[in-house]
Amino acid sequence: MGGWWGPSLGRRFNWLWASFAVSTFGTRLAFDAFPLIAVLVLHAGPAEVAALAATGTAVGALVAVPLGPWVEFRRKRPVMVATDLVRCGALLTVPFAFALDALTFVQLLVVSVIVAASDIAFTAASGAFLRSLLPKRELLAAGARLESTSWTATVLGPPLGGAAIGLFGPVLTVFADAVSHLLSAVGLRAIGGTEKPPPVRDEDPAAPGGSLLDGWRYILGHRELRPLFFNSVLVNSLIMASAPPLLVLMVGDLGFAPWQYGLAFAVPCLGGLFGARLAGPLVARYGRRRVLLAAGTARACWSIGLAAVGPGVGGLVLVMVVELGLITCSGVFNPVYSAYRLERTARDRIARTLSAWTVTSRTAVAAATALWGLLAGVAGPRTAIAVAGALLLATPLLLPRGELIVEPEAVPAPRDPARPAAAGETSGDGG
């Protein structure tokens, strides 16, 4: 899996990458499957569909709060395999219950909570595992490859999933998603090798909340991570909160067909692939500080243009141009930011930090989506989109100041036993 992306990062990373690709594609294939099942199979109304989306995310995040400390003090690869199998098992209950004519709305809600909580635990474990697998200087390259895979799956998955739903119904895509997690677990098992022992539990038992709150304490006390945390949570919340009003505006008020709406967001995702490919060369040429600040600022400048969308081809082109700019800038920013976050987080705090980060982000997205739904109902979808875009323009103020962004250290990389050592390469911890 080197080739176009440059030198291989080793056999073990390639298995990790393949597992990520399979499960991500399965998830994108089943995009919106649960709401469709609720509507088409269970005849749920708008309130129930909204509750399914919001409650699954919010309750899943709440359930995941104690999982961060639990993951921290265990070996990460077995946790990743276990969460993949949990997601597979939970998702498989849906087609089985459907086949037995026993599927209920409550079951969909419970499965969505289990999957959401497992997603957060998997993200925490996989970040810590990646940090132990590669030296610091290869984290950006790894992040760019994972980012490009995510955008590729976003381009291909929903259209193929939509076609599959049209031919076979939404339950089949849920089955495919379950199988993708099973295949991911198999790939993770194939990584092989040994894993460093997990950190020893060392927090003060008398501290409020114990290790449950340790991730947030670490983030808020870290002068480099704290501004990135607030920036990323706010940007993600505002971007996602404007999506439902935009759907209402385009499909409802302006009369775009659903396939046109899907096309307007699928094609620009190619910009994410392009941006992720550019991230490494840009950092090599201009430095991490400039790339983070420039890409983080640029991605905040596009969304306000969506408030001007009109009917017809012109409106469709406007949405695609705005989304292309936003996604390309995000494609550059995300792998640089993710690598920096992993590098600046202490090894024995990674799982708790990533868990707290993800829980906060998902909870904030759910709250912002609900709030912007109310705003769109009162002031109209175009106003809601404009307000989100205007607030996004202020988010670069939350990016860390230049002196807080530490450039990568020149450290020797440890040699992967699965690849030959390059001339002059020596063994080492790699940070």
Side-chain angles (χ1 to χ4, degrees):
M1 291 190 183
W4 186 60
W5 280 100
S8 171
L9 298 181
R11 183 191 65 82
R12 300 185 72 200
F13 173 77
N14 286 345
W15 274 113
L16 178 66
W17 188 10
S19 297
F20 174 81
V22 146
S23 63
T24 301
F25 185 79
T27 299
R28 296 295 187 271
L29 191 72
F31 183 72
D32 275 349
F34 272 29
L36 286 172
I37 291 172
V39 171
L40 299 177
V41 178
L42 302 177
H43 310 292
E48 290 174 301
V49 173
L52 179 62
T55 306
T57 300
V59 177
L62 182 63
V63 171
V65 170
L67 292 180
W70 183 83
V71 170
E72 190 78 79
F73 303 112
R74 282 159 179 80
R75 295 186 186 272
K76 306 305 181 289
R77 190 157 61 100
V79 171
M80 294 158 67
V81 172
T83 51
D84 261 337
L85 294 177
V86 167
R87 287 183 287 187
C88 174
L91 289 167
L92 282 177
T93 65
V94 174
F96 286 161
F98 173 77
L100 297 173
D101 197 24
L103 185 63
T104 65
F105 181 80
V106 172
Q107 180 181 348
L108 286 184
L109 194 60
V110 170
V111 171
S112 67
V113 168
I114 293 173
V115 170
S118 299
D119 284 345
I120 294 174
F122 184 92
T123 298
S126 62
F129 182 73
L130 181 64
R131 178 67 177 84
S132 68
L133 186 65
L134 298 175
K136 287 181 179 179
R137 68 178 186 180
E138 291 184 346
L139 290 176
L140 175 56
R145 297 177 194 193
L146 298 175
E147 180 78 7
S148 71
T149 301
S150 181
W151 286 116
T152 302
T154 303
V155 172
L156 299 176
L160 292 176
I165 287 172
L167 291 172
F168 308 108
V171 174
L172 181 65
T173 61
V174 175
F175 179 80
D177 190 15
V179 172
S180 76
H181 290 299
L182 178 61
L183 294 177
S184 172
V186 172
L188 292 171
R189 288 284 299 171
I191 289 175
T194 58
E195 184 180 340
K196 292 182 178 180
V200 178
R201 189 183 297 270
D202 61 352
E203 77 274 2
D204 181 3
S211 58
L212 290 179
L213 301 178
D214 195 53
W216 284 283
R217 282 198 294 262
Y218 185 81
I219 293 168
L220 297 178
H222 199 296
R223 63 193 297 264
E224 298 158 25
L225 296 181
R226 184 172 58 248
L228 275 178
F229 172 72
F230 287 120
N231 174 266
S232 68
V233 169
L234 186 57
V235 168
N236 290 340
S237 299
L238 290 172
I239 290 175
M240 296 304 296
S242 63
L246 183 60
L247 171 63
V248 172
L249 177 62
M250 291 183 66
V251 178
D253 299 350
L254 299 177
F256 286 99
W259 70 265
Q260 291 175 310
Y261 176 79
L263 184 68
F265 291 92
V267 174
C269 289
L270 294 172
L273 178 61
F274 179 68
R277 181 67 181 88
L278 282 179
L282 287 175
V283 169
R285 181 167 183 176
Y286 297 107
R288 181 162 58 190
R289 178 181 293 115
R290 290 182 179 178
V291 172
L292 269 177
L293 292 176
T297 300
R299 69 175 179 159
C301 299
W302 295 91
S303 292
I304 196 168
L306 294 172
V309 62
V313 175
L316 191 64
V317 170
L318 173 64
V319 173
M320 293 178 74
V321 169
V322 169
E323 289 296 322
L324 179 64
L326 169 64
I327 292 172
T328 301
C329 294
S330 297
V332 174
F333 180 87
N334 289 344
V336 182
Y337 139 80
S338 297
Y340 185 73
R341 180 176 61 177
L342 280 180
E343 180 186 320
R344 305 311 297 173
T345 303
R347 282 187 183 275
D348 61 348
R349 292 292 186 273
I350 291 177
R352 282 170 284 183
T353 299
L354 293 183
S355 180
W357 204 299
T358 307
V359 166
T360 304
S361 181
R362 295 194 180 187
T363 304
V365 166
T369 300
L371 181 61
W372 253 256
L374 293 175
L375 177 61
V378 173
R382 198 180 295 273
T383 299
I385 295 166
V387 171
L391 291 175
L392 273 167
L393 292 175
T395 57
L397 297 175
L398 294 175
L399 286 169
R401 299 187 306 275
E403 64 272 15
L404 289 183
I405 303 175
V406 181
E407 295 296 336
E409 301 172 6
V411 295
R415 183 175 65 85
D416 190 323
R419 54 177 173 165
E425 188 176 30
T426 58
S427 298
D429 177 57

